[in-house]
Amino acid sequence: MLKTFQYQAPFITECGDTLEGLTLAYRTYGQLNANADNVVWVCHALTGSADVDRWWAGLFGKGRLLDPSRQFIVCANMLGSCYGSTNPLSPNPSTGTPYYYDFPVLTNRDIMRGFELLRRHLGIRRIRCLIGGSMGGQQALEWLIEAPELFDSAYLIACNARHSPWGIAFNEAQRMAIEADSSWGQRTPGAGLKGMEAARACAMLSYRHYQTYALTQSDAEGCPPTGNFRAASYQKYQGKKLRERFHAFSYWWLSKAMDSHDVGRGRGGVEAALARIRAQVLVLGISTDILFPLAEQQLLANYIPHAHLRILHSVYGHDAFLIETDAVERFYFDCFAQTESCLFPVS
């Protein structure tokens, strides 16, 4: 069941704006033990939700990486997202109407601070393992650095210490698509939705890989030159699918939060920031990831004191961590099975 946490005090963002309180939607699975330390916390990606058992179902079950029979699993919808947490379509207490374009600029650090407020509310003393992929991995890194004594281990997947010019350019291209929608600028919930369809189609090119499309979206040789190609239909399908479950305001604001990602900001640089991490960390990179290329995970492994790097060879690009769940799980247990940091080792 989806639960909500209400924070009633003013929340000051990293950029100095104020939210007059906030709501975080979250889900828990399993039971918190007497020591409040059997916790696995999962941070979702850009358009994910608190329903980790749905979007990462392949990792759930007895003896799996996410095992509610032994763990207390928490996944919170990030601040700014439209799956129950405070976002641009939430009512602005000052006006009683949605924030729309008046919503404050958020950073991953702000989103992480929301998670920390929820952790305290839930009475969690330690987190056995913090797991995050993509934008969720960025937020996990912020938390590992901000509260190094809180975590025993972490699993950082397809993420980076600082968002690259390449990644920012992809996000800006998507925002330009939203802004080109003639409805963008209107104070209505449906503003920018057609533009967001195009934005999502653009994003898919960074989430997948040349090989992915070659294997799954190729047309037969000699097909009529009608323009009704499988790859073209797939792009339109992905755009429409997102339109049915998301809105352009959260997409626009959260992509800005991703662009802001820089763990070294105000901490003496990336190397100094990563050196603060005390947890045992597994960093997983994906061989065909063009959005978060392997060099970025190699940097994390080089500067996090107790880090192990593994590489997933896949044709699916960045999205492989959501698709090849058996491999994602195997890397964790192969790396940590013989250590005290392991999540309840498989018998």
Side-chain angles (χ1 to χ4, degrees):
M1 183 179 68
L2 193 67
K3 306 169 187 176
T4 56
F5 161 60
Q6 305 282 343
Y7 182 69
Q8 304 292 350
F11 182 87
I12 311 300
T13 70
E14 190 180 359
C15 293
D17 296 318
T18 301
L19 282 170
E20 297 299 331
L22 59 84
T23 298
L24 289 182
Y26 69 98
R27 287 200 64 182
T28 64
Y29 311 78
Q31 298 294 322
L32 187 64
N33 67 10
N35 293 327
D37 62 358
N38 64 328
V39 178
V40 180
W41 194 297
V42 182
C43 300
H44 67 75
L46 175 66
T47 64
S49 69
D51 298 320
V52 62
D53 60 327
R54 297 181 62 183
W55 54 262
W56 234 356
L59 295 181
F60 258 80
K62 190 170 181 59
R64 304 303 302 260
L65 183 62
L66 301 176
D67 183 351
S69 71
R70 294 186 288 182
Q71 305 159 2
F72 183 63
I73 302 163
V74 183
C75 185
N77 185 224
M78 69 175 75
L79 182 63
S81 180
C82 58
Y83 288 118
S85 295
T86 298
N87 69 81
L89 294 189
S90 299
N92 182 343
S94 300
T95 64
T97 59
Y99 285 97
Y100 291 122
Y101 307 93
D102 301 324
F103 196 69
V105 173
L106 297 176
T107 67
N108 275 329
R109 206 166 291 179
D110 294 323
I111 294 168
M112 173 274 295
R113 288 175 53 226
F115 294 156
E116 174 62 13
L117 291 172
L118 175 59
R119 181 202 56 96
R120 295 177 186 179
H121 168 74
L122 293 174
I124 293 170
R125 299 173 186 170
R126 290 194 65 77
I127 294 176
R128 188 69 177 271
C129 188
L130 177 64
I131 305 175
S134 192
M135 188 177 182
Q138 294 177 333
Q139 294 158 11
L141 263 173
E142 282 284 353
W143 209 357
L144 289 166
I145 293 164
E146 192 68 18
E149 72 292 339
L150 180 62
F151 304 94
D152 291 327
S153 68
Y155 195 0
L156 305 175
I157 307 170
C159 64
N160 53 15
R162 185 182 182 208
H163 210 48
S164 67
W166 175 250
I168 293 170
F170 264 116
N171 284 342
E172 185 62 24
Q174 293 174 66
R175 289 190 294 268
M176 289 170 66
I178 292 172
E179 292 160 4
D181 185 327
S182 61
S183 68
W184 188 245
Q186 299 174 8
R187 300 179 79 84
T188 61
L193 282 177
K194 287 297 292 183
M196 189 180 72
E197 288 187 34
R200 185 63 164 186
C202 175
M204 291 305 299
L205 300 177
S206 68
Y207 298 156
R208 301 297 172 89
H209 188 267
Y210 177 96
Q211 292 175 295
T212 317
Y213 281 81
L215 286 172
T216 64
Q217 304 303 325
S218 291
D219 295 283
E221 283 191 41
C223 66
T226 60
N228 187 27
F229 300 111
R230 289 186 65 183
S233 298
Y234 180 74
Q235 296 301 94
K236 291 177 181 177
Y237 163 75
Q238 289 293 342
K240 290 177 181 177
K241 188 168 74 167
L242 185 68
R243 177 177 179 162
E244 292 172 357
R245 68 178 182 86
F246 220 70
H247 60 66
F249 292 93
S250 280
Y251 201 84
W252 200 92
W253 259 262
L254 292 179
S255 71
K256 283 281 191 180
M258 182 183 285
D259 289 353
S260 76
H261 179 62
D262 179 359
V263 298
R265 183 174 57 248
R267 296 176 175 138
V270 165
E271 184 175 348
L274 295 178
R276 293 167 60 171
I277 296 174
R278 292 292 171 263
Q280 293 284 334
V281 177
L282 174 58
V283 180
L284 182 63
I286 300 165
S287 62
T288 51
D289 192 342
I290 65 171
L291 184 58
F292 292 81
L294 282 176
E296 296 188 329
Q297 291 88 60
Q298 289 166 343
L299 184 147
L300 294 177
N302 286 342
Y303 293 122
I304 294 174
H306 307 287
H308 313 267
L309 175 66
R310 298 293 184 271
I311 299 171
L312 171 58
H313 295 278
S314 171
V315 300
Y316 291 112
H318 181 66
D319 273 356
F321 78 94
L322 297 171
I323 298 168
E324 301 208 38
T325 52
D326 285 348
V328 169
E329 181 178 76
R330 184 177 65 252
F331 278 111
Y332 179 87
F333 284 118
D334 284 351
C335 182
F336 281 148
Q338 304 304 318
T339 73
E340 293 181 0
S341 299
C342 186
L343 282 176
F344 319 103
V346 177
S347 57

